[in-house]
Amino acid sequence: MKKTLLITGGAGFIGSHVVRLFVNKYPDYRIVNLDALTYAGNLENLTDIENFPNYTFVKADIRDASAINEIFKEHQFDGVIHLAAESHVDRSLKDPNVFIETNVLGTANLLNAARELWKGNMEGKRFYHVSTDEVYGSLGDTGFFLETTSYDPQSPYSASKAASDHLVRAYGNSYHLPFVITNCSNNYGQNQFPEKLIPLFIHNIQNNIPLPVYGDGKYTRDWLYVVDHARAIDLVYHDGVNGETYNIGGFNEWQNIALIKLLCKQMDEKLGRAPGESEKLISYVKDRPGHDRRYAIDASKINKELGWKPSVTFEEGLSKTIDWYLQNETWLQSVTSGDYQKYYESQYS
Ligand code: NAD
Ligand code: DAU
């Protein structure tokens, strides 16, 4: 094997797409997927590659420093792609501490383990931290987030991600740890847990449950198909420059209500419903506290320097996403039973 690579959070939404891409594309890399399998982690996401000879799964919690140190000693990683995190803003508003523990302390544990393992020779090593555009805060009607935009996180989730970004840069500066960071916009696609807007609303439309639109529905997000994010991560891991940050985005801004109407239209067509039927489910509800008004990424750096751009249009990606959820009802049913119901009631009742 040429390299041993640790991917954290590989049983989650984006992580599973990254694991699949690397396991298939690099048969000479040993890919170790480390995940605690929280409510958001699901090994069902990876059944197609679970028996590949270059793939190993390790169940572990990044909050457990001694377990992480042991795993680094055992596997002698050459590189880390760190995605494990608590990732949902609404949950961070209800229970911030687990976000601080996993996103901040968990990242620090990985940085310490990498620093210890690589201390004699950092040549060819790389710590890749996967982060979010939410660290930049909220935009007005115009403008874009650049890599140089000041941090201004507004929720416990984004504050914990911002803190972890700062730690990664500090380890680069203080200990010469070779790192790259990417800050990406909203992802969508198959295997996303149905607490996030698109899969939640697909599930609700299918089951004739009201669609809870926060506030006036005029909040704006920049949407990227998850497979294109995984392609960008592959490119940055291999060709990115140490110490650099790259913004990743879809060049694809949508006001929530416009996106929801497009989703309803596509769902009507796919479910054989009369035009306008699903839109009747739209229900404006109390706003998310501290709701960021608009995110929009300027992704020209990764485009110019590394030649990356999205390959899937939004209409095409959304259609593929809906098809996947409609064809994978068992997956959706298994993740929406049990604790999901309790979460749904506490969030929306
Ligand atoms: P997700 O919630 O779907 O998956 C997170 C994964 O991390 C799960 O498999 C979970 O089991 C694992 N995990 C959580 N806590 C852990 C712990 N203490 N130890 C080990 N594993 C743990 O998240 P996602 O949407 O796939 O996001 C992945 C990463 O990408 C996160 O770092 C997130 O901040 C970042 N990101 C997400 C988006 C997005 O739109 N979803 C956009 C930009 C950046
Ligand atoms: O921008 C990147 C971020 O995108 C990631 O870092 C986060 O991990 C990811 O969760 C996502 O954060 P958002 O808060 O933007 O995503 P969410 O799907 O929760 O919400 C998208 C928009 O839809 C937001 O304006 C809130 C709104 N919304 C969301 C839900 C769940 C609703 O109106 N109703 C809802 O029920």
Side-chain angles (χ1 to χ4, degrees), residues 87-90 132-134 157 184-187 192 195-198 200-201 212-214 219-221 223 256 260 288 291-292 295 348:
S87 69
H88 191 38
V89 173
D90 291 330
T132 170
D133 61 357
E134 298 201 11
Y157 162 68
C184 188
S185 64
N186 287 61
N187 283 218
Q192 187 169 31
E195 63 189 351
K196 310 280 165 60
L197 181 73
I198 291 180
L200 177 79
F201 279 33
V213 180
Y214 294 161
Y219 293 85
T220 299
R221 297 291 184 264
W223 293 92
N256 290 342
I260 291 160
R288 171 185 281 176
H291 199 166
D292 288 336
Y295 303 147
Y348 296 104

Side-chain angles (χ1 to χ4, degrees), residues 131-191:
S131 192
T132 170
D133 61 357
E134 298 201 11
V135 297
Y136 299 123
S138 183
L139 290 164
D141 289 341
T142 57
F144 295 91
F145 295 135
L146 295 165
E147 286 80 359
T148 49
T149 301
S150 300
Y151 276 30
D152 187 21
Q154 300 293 321
S155 71
Y157 162 68
S158 54
S160 68
K161 291 297 290 187
S164 64
D165 292 12
H166 289 319
L167 277 174
V168 175
R169 289 197 184 96
Y171 275 59
N173 181 60
S174 307
Y175 310 122
H176 308 292
L177 192 85
F179 76 89
V180 281
I181 298 179
T182 50
N183 294 86
C184 188
S185 64
N186 287 61
N187 283 218
Y188 70 98
Q190 70 184 59
N191 300 110

Side-chain angles (χ1 to χ4, degrees), residues 23 41 97 137 143 148 171 176 219 222 265 282 288 291 293 343:
V23 166
N97 279 17
T148 49
Y171 275 59
H176 308 292
Y219 293 85
D222 170 0
K265 183 170 170 281
I282 290 175
R288 171 185 281 176
H291 199 166
R293 192 65 171 167
Y343 166 75

Side-chain angles (χ1 to χ4, degrees), residues 117-323:
L117 179 65
W118 299 340
K119 67 184 173 201
N121 179 13
M122 303 252 184
E123 190 62 36
K125 307 292 191 282
R126 171 157 280 183
F127 190 101
Y128 181 160
H129 181 57
V130 176
S131 192
T132 170
D133 61 357
E134 298 201 11
V135 297
Y136 299 123
S138 183
L139 290 164
D141 289 341
T142 57
F144 295 91
F145 295 135
L146 295 165
E147 286 80 359
T148 49
T149 301
S150 300
Y151 276 30
D152 187 21
Q154 300 293 321
S155 71
Y157 162 68
S158 54
S160 68
K161 291 297 290 187
S164 64
D165 292 12
H166 289 319
L167 277 174
V168 175
R169 289 197 184 96
Y171 275 59
N173 181 60
S174 307
Y175 310 122
H176 308 292
L177 192 85
F179 76 89
V180 281
I181 298 179
T182 50
N183 294 86
C184 188
S185 64
N186 287 61
N187 283 218
Y188 70 98
Q190 70 184 59
N191 300 110
Q192 187 169 31
F193 192 80
E195 63 189 351
K196 310 280 165 60
L197 181 73
I198 291 180
L200 177 79
F201 279 33
I202 292 174
H203 176 250
N204 284 16
I205 292 171
Q206 201 185 357
N207 294 289
N208 282 306
I209 300 169
L211 305 176
V213 180
Y214 294 161
D216 64 3
K218 292 187 180 159
Y219 293 85
T220 299
R221 297 291 184 264
D222 170 0
W223 293 92
L224 178 69
Y225 192 51
V226 63
V227 173
D228 279 329
H229 188 186
R231 284 177 48 242
I233 290 175
D234 176 22
L235 203 58
V236 172
Y237 181 75
H238 289 99
D239 298 343
V241 174
N242 277 339
E244 290 291 321
T245 295
Y246 300 87
N247 280 352
I248 305 172
F251 302 97
N252 179 40
E253 281 184 58
W254 284 80
Q255 267 193 356
N256 290 342
I257 193 63
L259 183 160
I260 291 160
K261 286 184 176 169
L262 173 66
L263 184 65
C264 288
K265 183 170 170 281
Q266 289 199 0
M267 289 288 286
D268 281 343
E269 286 161 13
K270 288 177 195 290
L271 295 171
R273 291 182 182 171
E277 195 60 28
S278 298
E279 267 192 33
K280 290 183 192 155
L281 294 168
I282 290 175
S283 156
Y284 288 90
V285 299
K286 195 164 144 245
D287 210 348
R288 171 185 281 176
H291 199 166
D292 288 336
R293 192 65 171 167
R294 175 171 165 260
Y295 303 147
I297 280 277
D298 180 338
S300 47
K301 177 175 172 179
I302 187 172
N303 176 251
K304 284 192 194 122
E305 295 184 11
L306 302 180
W308 176 89
K309 63 175 193 288
S311 68
V312 178
T313 66
F314 189 55
E315 282 74 3
E316 192 190 335
L318 192 62
S319 171
K320 280 189 187 182
T321 304
I322 298 170
D323 289 344

